[in-house]
Amino acid sequence: MKRLMIVVPAYNEEEALPKTLDVLDDVLSDLIETNKVDKASKIVIVNDGSADKTWSIIEDAAAKNDHISGINFSRNYGHQNALIAGLTATRDYGDIFVTIDADLQDDVNAIPKMVAENANGFDIVYGARNSRETDSAFKRGTAEMFYKIMGKLGVEMVPDSADYRLMSQRAVDHLLEFKEHNLFLRGIVPRVGFPSTVVYYARKEREAGESKYPLKKMINFAWDGITSFSVAPMRFILAVGIFSMVIAVGMMIYAIYRELTGHTVAGWSSLMVSLWFIGGFQLIGISILGEYIGKIFNEVKDRPRYVIQDNLLSNQDFDDKQAEKHLDDGMGEV
């Protein structure tokens, strides 16, 4: 049987986390009792520098339940880094890995279905919502527009899926070879390849607490996704710049013609409109270039993506797993 690692990023989730742990533990216990996963499977909560009691809740739960463990960041490093940290810490311990948010909006009953699909030979099983009825009209519209834009830019994504997915160990191993700091896992995971499928579920309302992705964060996240996978915005600016130059040449020829025919009309409006248009366009172009240069700046510094302050995963767990690996590889006893 395979060891299942359920990785859960959490940021200021003291209201939702107790119920989340109970619900996930019930699902994991059922999988263990029905011999779907190994009894050494775990739920690993990654505390992303929470300012509330999230970490103390994790510590208390881990002390009472062997199936629960946790990792504590030294400060807030972001949702995507929390996912990567959880997968990195458990990669040598588990065989299959499920990532899910702590707010219980993603239906945990899809986890057994994901495990079953993995048993059928799929390395990656995406969790995707079957409808967006719980979203506002604005959020539905912007989400659809985002997926269409990403598709036009050539970015492979699974529509209506977030970071709720199952991955095999070899898929995680290759995912962790992607070293970029500007993480957009929804676009990176499909690039890993391997056989994949989708499990659909109905997304629920948040159980407790507030959303950690308000409109501003959603826009920043979408912009990161676009600029991390495509240079199309820069090429668009180039195309508009060339078009503007063609118009400018045409206007110059027309102005010379008017001057030669004696129909010159002095006016500030056309001049000011042109100046403002070109000036604004240049500022937008410089900003987009600056975004890409800023990403290059962050990548070349190669700073750690996160710093772990506390790790409740025991060394013995890893030692046991490594011993099994060596035996399976025919390397003898360890």
Side-chain angles (χ1 to χ4, degrees), residues 11 39 91 107-108 111 115 119 142 158 173 195 224 255 266 270 292:
Y11 176 64
K39 64 180 181 180
R91 67 186 294 183
D107 186 5
V108 298
I111 294 177
V115 173
T142 53
V158 178
D173 286 343
D224 273 341
S270 59
Y292 283 95

Side-chain angles (χ1 to χ4, degrees), residues 119-139:
N120 290 334
F122 293 101
D123 285 87
I124 303 175
V125 184
Y126 299 97
R129 37 200 311 186
N130 54 16
S131 71
R132 285 188 169 269
E133 295 178 356
T134 58
D135 289 346
S136 64
F138 173 77
K139 191 170 183 179

Side-chain angles (χ1 to χ4, degrees), residues 1-2 4 11 20 22 48 56 83-84 89-90 99 123 137 152 169 212 241 248 264 273 287 296 298 332:
M1 289 181 289
K2 296 180 179 179
L4 169 63
Y11 176 64
T20 299
D22 288 340
D48 187 18
S56 62
L83 290 172
I84 286 293
T90 59
T99 55
D123 285 87
K152 294 291 184 182
Q169 188 176 50
K212 304 305 181 294
T264 303
V273 169
S287 298
I296 295 171
N298 288 330

Side-chain angles (χ1 to χ4, degrees), residues 34-151:
T34 55
N35 296 322
K36 300 294 177 56
V37 299
D38 190 87
K39 64 180 181 180
S41 299
K42 286 185 180 291
I43 302 164
V44 181
I45 315 296
V46 182
N47 180 38
D48 187 18
S50 300
D52 59 6
K53 298 178 180 178
T54 296
W55 179 242
S56 62
I57 293 172
I58 296 170
E59 287 184 308
D60 292 342
K64 299 174 183 177
N65 191 334
D66 291 337
H67 290 158
I68 298 174
S69 190
I71 296 170
N72 186 30
F73 280 175
S74 61
R75 66 170 183 83
N76 178 253
Y77 285 95
H79 179 267
Q80 301 291 281
N81 284 321
L83 290 172
I84 286 293
L87 293 173
T88 302
T90 59
R91 67 186 294 183
D92 291 329
Y93 180 52
D95 301 300
I96 51 177
F97 306 81
V98 169
T99 55
I100 183 173
D101 289 343
D103 54 18
L104 290 182
Q105 287 189 274
D106 297 318
D107 186 5
V108 298
N109 294 314
I111 294 177
K113 299 177 184 177
M114 292 179 175
V115 173
E117 292 292 355
N118 173 255
N120 290 334
F122 293 101
D123 285 87
I124 303 175
V125 184
Y126 299 97
R129 37 200 311 186
N130 54 16
S131 71
R132 285 188 169 269
E133 295 178 356
T134 58
D135 289 346
S136 64
F138 173 77
K139 191 170 183 179
R140 283 197 301 271
T142 53
E144 290 174 3
M145 181 175 65
F146 173 69
Y147 283 113
K148 287 181 180 178
I149 291 174
M150 295 298 280

